[in-house]
Amino acid sequence: MAKPKAFVSLEDVSIEAFDRSLMGATHGRVLFKELSWEMRENEQWAILGPNGSGKSVLAEVIAGTHPVTKGKIVYHFPQDKIAYVNFDSQKSALGDGAFLQDRWNIGLREDAPSVSDFLSIPILRNKTKYRDVIRDFGLQPLLKRKLIELSNGERRKVWIARALLKNPRLLILDNPFEGLDEDFRKELPKILTRLMKGHITLAYVAAEATMIPAGVTHILRIDDDGSVSYGTRKEMLGSGKRERMLPKSTKGRKSIGRILVQMKNVNVSYSGVQILRDINWTVRERERWALFGPNGSGKTTLLSLILADNPQAYANDIMLFGKKRGTGESIWEIKKSIGWVSPELQLYYPHGATCLDIVCSGWFDSIGLYRNATVDQREIALAWLQRFGLAEHAATPLAELSEGEQRLVLLARALVKNPTLLILDEPCQGLDTAYRTRVLEAIDWVAKQHNAAMIYVTHRADELPKSITNILRLDKKQPRSSI
Amino acid sequence: MARINFGGVVEDVVTRDEFSLEKARKILKKEVVAVLGYGVQGPAQALNMRDNGIKVIVGQKSGSPSYDKAVKDGWVPGKTLFSLEEAAERATIIQFLVSDAGQMMTWPSIRKHLTKGKALYFSHGFGMVFNDQTGIKPPKNVDIILVAPKGSGRSVRINFLNGSGINASYAVQQDASGRAKERALALGIALGAGYMFPTTFKNEVYSDLTGERGILMGALAGVMEAQYNELRKHGHSPSEAFNETVEELTQSLIRLVGENGMDWMYANCSTTAQRGALDWKPKFRKAVEPVFRDLYKSVKSGNETRITLKANSAKDYKKKLNKELKEIHESEMWRAGAAVRSLRPENWKKK
């Protein structure tokens, strides 16, 4: 039997991580040494590895956007037929000047590209394909929106759709299911399976085996010690685990704690699009809320009202920590009581900052460190890094850490001041089991130890901390709350 | 007040550490600040002051795109969003942030609401300094103050939200209440200034107009063109002429100068570049000194203002202007520039 033809070949390749925020490549830690591996035609691959194992860098190497320090990589097809989607690549398309609260600051908006601008790729001539992709991904309602206005989950959908529109031979998806809501998480594997039956070769990159799409035939696994093994799916895996469903409601409990957040008939809309409709919601001391809702249902916008990041808070009836918005409070007084982490924070935080400085910026609620932290503050910050096993990276720029490690640094930033209210917007997105367990344990510990109230956003049941007491579910059409 | 030594000259600089937000809020406690004009500086200053707990209202003509933007930014018609005139009436501090030309037009309707004890605030001294031309002549019983942030509206907002702050200059033209200076400083802190440098209305305008006509745009574009044309005359290709004139400057050199200064640049370039650049610097300086002398004179005499106001009021100005801009846009040099930019590594990766 003739062996299938080679598709991508890595020949004795050595790879180092480097800091992308600096001009030119500086040498970083060695991730792979003399790795030889081949993807053949008609094979579909999953690349698995825990956070920080270098799986994303390996994906970049295959995509041709990260140099190898030794050996070579050979493509047996035109190299411009590679489409690569990862979390990092999203920022560049948003423009150099984009900032965290851009979504909600309309008066200062500069001309920004819309979703349909972004999806209009010159090399794309196939109108049927465009229509199919827009339909499969449910993007019709988003086409006129600005990229900057999309939610984390919507943005991820648009990025994957764009990659498909390029008509790639090789499609590399780094953690594509992260940030997607339950419905689309079921839909995407079907789309991918269809594509694999067509002419696309998939390289699916993830921390864990749970979500590997059905059509994947081969697996490359990077272990904790950095060793690489690969083989057929059957050789590499036993039977997969099934995903749990999100709970519909919790037992709930009568709470009599002080009111921290109170919203009355809150409405937010932009250019005729109603993002939030008549929200009534009260969060009290010691309550731990799970916030659910499909992509684009307004979860992050709702949180931005509490975080004092959204100017429309002034046009609504919102009480925060005993004071009505717009009665002489400053946003810094509000932020002082809140510890917060979100995919957007990770996207926009300057990646050249060192880990210790980032954790210290939690004391000042600043994005970047612009004031001198005291010795005590630095010590506490370092203790949090230690708790997450990142003390050795105190002086390392964020850019040199993996996505999962970056999350832990930002989580430490949120926890460092023992906040009254913790707002955790998909804190486990992109984390492997080991990291997820550490994060959830830390969250439960803080909630218990300091009686912090919590609002926790996730699309996944296995990412829910034990301490959840209440649930708010946002609907795309008619938000309603249940207790 | 921090006394900071700028190359041997000591200047008094106000920092947010000594002049805290708390102090600013106390000073502004009884004030209603009206930001007139929701254009470029207006939104940034209004949003930042509101986010710092200051009582702010916005004045903007309804039905305009800027009015819609203000609504989307959480300003509520009839509560915190009014017409220019009504906002001026309700305010104790009037921030006059409409465009230079717009100031002239709207001044009469603002003037009548400038009653005793109010403050008139500018972020640019233009309207006041040249008031023989603009007609902006406030009464004697109001404060006239200025805070000019050193950045676009967008960067004023971004630097506020990320917690870093922005530098600004401040000035007092007329102190009727005895509180003019503290009002100016408090407003500066409230809009997010980290450091504030003292200036006067005149100095702010003269340096601003000289800078933009000089090295920031006029002189820069002029010397770039001169060098590009000379290279082209001797047979260099457009890409080469552009690369050696603009691309190297904007993509590497000017960033290094920003970080380390021109002195460092001189000390850290190749010996060939170093010798030549040292020898040619005085020649260029000598060549342009008379031009700068004329420029400053023209600014100070009000001639530049006359030209600007006259041009802006001409009916066919927009048409003439577009023709001038089109000429630059379609020149070989800047078309070559567009092509060179599209070939930058970060741009071809995106394709």
Side-chain angles (χ1 to χ4, degrees):
Chain A
M1 201 172 72
K3 236 165 82 170
K5 275 196 285 185
F7 187 62
V8 179
S9 316
L10 272 63
E11 298 170 8
D12 282 327
V13 162
S14 295
I15 303 168
E16 289 179 9
F18 66 84
D19 179 358
R20 271 155 289 183
S21 66
L22 297 173
M23 280 206 262
T26 56
H27 290 278
R29 65 187 151 134
V30 177
L31 293 169
F32 301 96
K33 239 179 152 175
E34 290 159 17
L35 173 67
S36 290
W37 167 59
E38 195 161 73
M39 291 173 78
R40 298 204 176 85
E41 290 213 343
N42 301 321
E43 291 177 353
Q44 307 288 347
W45 281 82
I47 297 170
L48 304 178
N51 292 127
S53 61
K55 60 183 182 303
S56 294
V57 179
L58 181 60
E60 286 170 21
V61 166
I62 299 168
T65 59
H66 187 110
V68 298
T69 48
K70 213 183 137 210
K72 64 173 178 175
I73 175 160
V74 184
Y75 301 94
H76 306 275
F77 65 99
Q79 210 192 325
D80 61 1
K81 286 283 175 195
I82 302 175
Y84 170 49
V85 182
N86 75 342
F87 190 62
D88 270 2
S89 71
Q90 295 182 3
K91 195 173 177 187
S92 60
L94 299 178
D96 281 345
F99 62 103
L100 183 63
Q101 298 89 347
D102 227 346
R103 254 173 108 180
W104 306 296
N105 279 261
I106 309 299
L108 292 153
R109 178 76 45 79
E110 285 169 353
D111 270 349
S114 67
V115 172
S116 75
D117 295 339
F118 184 61
L119 294 178
S120 302
I121 304 161
I123 54 166
L124 172 81
R125 297 212 175 76
N126 189 336
K127 286 221 167 99
T128 330
K129 172 145 188 129
Y130 184 80
R131 223 172 37 226
D132 289 351
V133 169
I134 299 299
R135 189 201 52 222
D136 288 349
F137 283 74
L139 296 182
Q140 194 62 41
L142 300 183
L143 288 176
K144 282 193 182 147
R145 302 258 300 275
K146 303 281 184 201
L147 282 181
I148 199 89
E149 294 168 353
L150 299 184
S151 75
N152 168 50
E154 288 170 334
R155 208 167 48 230
R156 284 170 172 257
K157 275 192 202 177
V158 168
W159 254 254
I160 299 171
R162 183 174 194 264
L164 291 184
L165 287 173
K166 287 184 186 166
N167 235 341
R169 282 281 283 120
L170 173 61
L171 175 65
I172 307 169
L173 296 178
D174 195 344
N175 255 331
F177 295 108
E178 296 301 331
L180 302 181
D181 57 35
E182 278 186 292
D183 285 348
F184 196 66
R185 225 163 50 235
K186 285 181 198 136
E187 200 52 42
L188 184 58
K190 292 183 204 159
I191 299 172
L192 294 178
T193 305
R194 271 207 306 280
L195 290 169
M196 286 186 267
K197 281 186 187 147
H199 67 295
I200 283 186
T201 296
L202 179 72
Y204 164 83
V205 184
E208 287 175 339
T210 44
M211 294 289 289
I212 295 178
V216 166
T217 58
H218 288 72
I219 287 169
L220 178 143
R221 175 179 277 134
I222 309 160
D223 281 320
D224 280 322
D225 61 359
S227 62
V228 173
S229 55
Y230 49 85
T232 63
R233 180 176 190 146
K234 225 173 173 180
E235 290 163 4
M236 300 294 291
L237 292 179
S239 59
K241 274 185 290 178
R242 277 182 65 104
E243 209 188 338
R244 275 190 293 146
M245 299 282 287
L246 287 176
K248 289 283 176 263
S249 66
T250 58
K251 51 230 176 248
R253 64 174 194 192
K254 265 255 186 292
S255 178
I256 45 160
R258 187 165 64 98
I259 292 176
L260 304 179
V261 178
Q262 188 164 41
M263 299 190 180
K264 287 185 185 159
N265 294 317
V266 163
N267 282 283
V268 174
S269 63
Y270 293 104
S271 317
V273 182
Q274 186 104 23
I275 311 286
L276 296 172
R277 190 192 301 274
D278 296 331
I279 301 283
N280 288 288
W281 188 25
T282 304
V283 177
R284 290 167 189 272
E285 255 177 343
R286 287 188 289 277
E287 288 180 349
R288 280 139 217 166
W289 286 80
L291 175 57
F292 299 142
N295 296 139
S297 58
K299 299 184 295 298
T300 303
T301 297
L302 181 65
L303 297 179
S304 73
L305 294 168
I306 303 174
L307 287 159
D309 273 341
N310 191 328
Q312 287 210 13
Y314 294 99
N316 278 291
D317 187 349
I318 300 172
M319 292 269 289
L320 296 180
F321 309 105
K323 218 163 168 64
K324 190 171 179 316
R325 278 318 315 269
T327 58
E329 77 291 352
S330 87
I331 60 170
W332 308 109
E333 289 159 357
I334 295 165
K335 287 174 183 286
K336 199 172 250 171
S337 303
I338 302 174
W340 165 64
V341 64
S342 82
E344 281 78 13
L345 181 65
Q346 189 160 346
L347 192 60
Y348 288 108
Y349 207 104
H351 281 202
T354 66
C355 294
L356 186 61
D357 278 0
I358 291 169
V359 180
C360 283
S361 72
W363 296 109
F364 310 103
D365 303 300
S366 55
I367 313 284
L369 185 63
Y370 309 100
R371 289 165 192 264
N372 287 325
T374 64
V375 175
D376 279 357
Q377 286 173 332
R378 294 187 89 81
E379 259 172 31
I380 296 170
L382 193 60
W384 273 104
L385 283 177
Q386 214 145 25
R387 197 193 157 94
F388 287 139
L390 292 168
E392 57 172 317
H393 290 304
T396 309
L398 193 67
E400 288 183 23
L401 302 191
S402 71
E403 189 186 341
E405 291 165 333
Q406 291 180 0
R407 185 73 37 77
L408 289 177
V409 172
L410 293 175
L411 189 64
R413 174 183 179 274
L415 297 174
V416 74
K417 60 183 173 181
N418 285 327
T420 314
L421 174 63
L422 264 176
I423 296 185
L424 305 169
D425 191 348
E426 302 201 53
C428 294
Q429 180 174 294
L431 300 188
D432 62 25
T433 317
Y435 271 93
R436 190 159 63 222
T437 310
R438 260 149 88 195
V439 167
L440 290 176
E441 273 173 10
I443 290 168
D444 281 331
W445 181 82
V446 170
K448 212 178 228 158
Q449 204 73 16
H450 300 280
N451 270 322
M454 179 162 77
I455 304 169
Y456 189 99
V457 179
T458 184
H459 295 291
R460 299 174 52 149
D462 56 354
E463 290 181 354
L464 220 46
K466 292 194 190 81
S467 46
I468 294 296
T469 58
N470 305 62
I471 290 175
L472 175 70
R473 196 177 283 273
L474 290 184
D475 222 317
K476 247 189 176 148
K477 292 184 201 87
Q478 206 63 64
R480 59 176 189 274
S481 57
S482 67
I483 295 172
Chain B
M1 202 164 288
R3 294 175 65 77
I4 295 177
N5 188 326
F6 293 90
V9 181
V10 178
E11 297 182 28
D12 289 325
V13 177
V14 179
T15 73
R16 65 176 169 192
D17 291 330
E18 48 180 301
F19 203 108
S20 67
L21 178 59
E22 265 332 291
K23 186 172 169 186
R25 282 162 51 156
K26 225 167 166 181
I27 290 166
L28 299 174
K29 201 170 176 186
K30 289 185 183 150
E31 310 272 15
V32 176
V33 183
V35 173
L36 304 190
Y38 210 69
V40 184
Q41 277 291 330
Q45 296 193 22
L47 290 167
N48 289 0
M49 286 190 293
R50 182 175 64 178
D51 277 349
N52 267 335
I54 308 302
K55 195 158 184 219
V56 183
I57 58 176
V58 168
Q60 174 67 43
K61 198 173 133 208
S62 69
S64 59
S66 296
Y67 186 88
D68 294 343
K69 282 182 181 176
V71 172
K72 285 177 187 162
D73 281 347
W75 303 98
V76 183
K79 277 187 181 162
T80 53
L81 177 58
F82 303 94
S83 68
L84 285 177
E85 204 176 326
E86 194 175 349
E89 188 186 349
R90 287 170 178 261
T92 59
I93 295 173
I94 297 173
Q95 294 204 351
F96 208 19
L97 300 184
V98 294
S99 67
D100 291 337
Q103 285 189 8
M104 274 174 80
M105 271 165 31
T106 53
W107 172 247
S109 61
I110 305 307
R111 164 72 181 82
K112 59 183 166 210
H113 298 297
L114 261 183
T115 49
K116 183 171 183 282
K118 287 198 181 185
L120 180 62
Y121 164 111
F122 296 85
S123 280
H124 189 21
F126 189 92
M128 276 304 297
V129 171
F130 299 113
N131 64 2
D132 53 331
Q133 295 178 53
T134 63
I136 298 175
K137 290 177 180 163
K140 289 271 173 258
N141 57 3
V142 299
D143 294 344
I144 305 171
I145 53 180
L146 172 142
V147 176
K150 303 294 156 202
S152 69
R154 227 176 124 79
S155 49
V156 170
R157 182 66 176 154
I158 292 172
N159 285 27
F160 171 76
L161 286 170
N162 69 18
S164 62
I166 194 143
N167 292 344
S169 56
Y170 74 94
V172 174
Q173 172 98 349
Q174 181 172 291
D175 183 4
S177 68
R179 298 173 54 229
K181 187 175 170 187
E182 67 171 28
R183 270 171 148 177
L185 290 174
L187 289 165
I189 293 295
L191 68 82
Y195 292 94
M196 284 186 288
F197 307 87
T199 184
T200 64
F201 272 60
K202 275 187 179 163
N203 284 346
E204 192 278 329
V205 181
Y206 294 170
S207 57
D208 193 64
L209 294 191
T210 303
E212 65 205 11
R213 279 155 179 72
I215 205 71
L216 301 179
M217 287 192 69
L220 182 67
V223 292
M224 279 176 170
E225 269 174 39
Q227 177 172 313
Y228 179 89
N229 290 345
E230 193 61 27
L231 288 169
R232 288 288 289 138
K233 216 162 72 189
H234 297 284
H236 295 268
S237 66
S239 66
E240 184 168 72
F242 190 87
N243 276 326
E244 291 303 319
T245 304
V246 182
E247 194 70 356
E248 272 193 41
L249 172 73
T250 57
Q251 293 307 292
S252 95
L253 213 121
I254 207 72
R255 293 180 193 181
L256 293 170
V257 174
E259 270 167 42
N260 311 298
M262 201 69 213
D263 50 334
W264 179 92
M265 199 67 236
Y266 263 104
N268 288 277
C269 57
S270 74
T271 50
T272 313
Q274 189 179 47
R275 187 65 262 144
L278 282 169
D279 292 343
W280 278 90
K281 181 167 78 78
K283 294 186 195 182
F284 277 108
R285 194 178 66 200
K286 216 170 152 205
V288 296
E289 264 166 358
V291 185
F292 277 105
R293 205 156 37 235
D294 287 350
L295 168 58
Y296 195 84
K297 213 166 99 192
S298 181
V299 167
K300 197 176 170 184
S301 69
N303 192 39
E304 290 301 308
T305 312
R306 246 184 312 280
I307 293 168
T308 304
L309 291 177
K310 196 175 161 217
N312 269 298
S313 60
K315 274 211 177 89
D316 58 344
Y317 181 58
K318 193 103 207 177
K319 214 169 134 193
K320 278 188 189 156
L321 176 69
N322 285 340
K323 199 173 153 238
E324 278 179 276
L325 295 177
K326 200 172 160 198
E327 243 165 62
I328 300 179
H329 182 65
E330 288 178 356
S331 66
E332 182 198 279
M333 180 179 173
W334 291 107
R335 276 187 300 150
V340 169
R341 286 196 297 276
S342 75
L343 296 178
R344 281 181 202 152
E346 71 265 27
N347 291 340
W348 57 257
K349 270 277 180 269
K350 267 184 213 159
K351 279 185 185 167

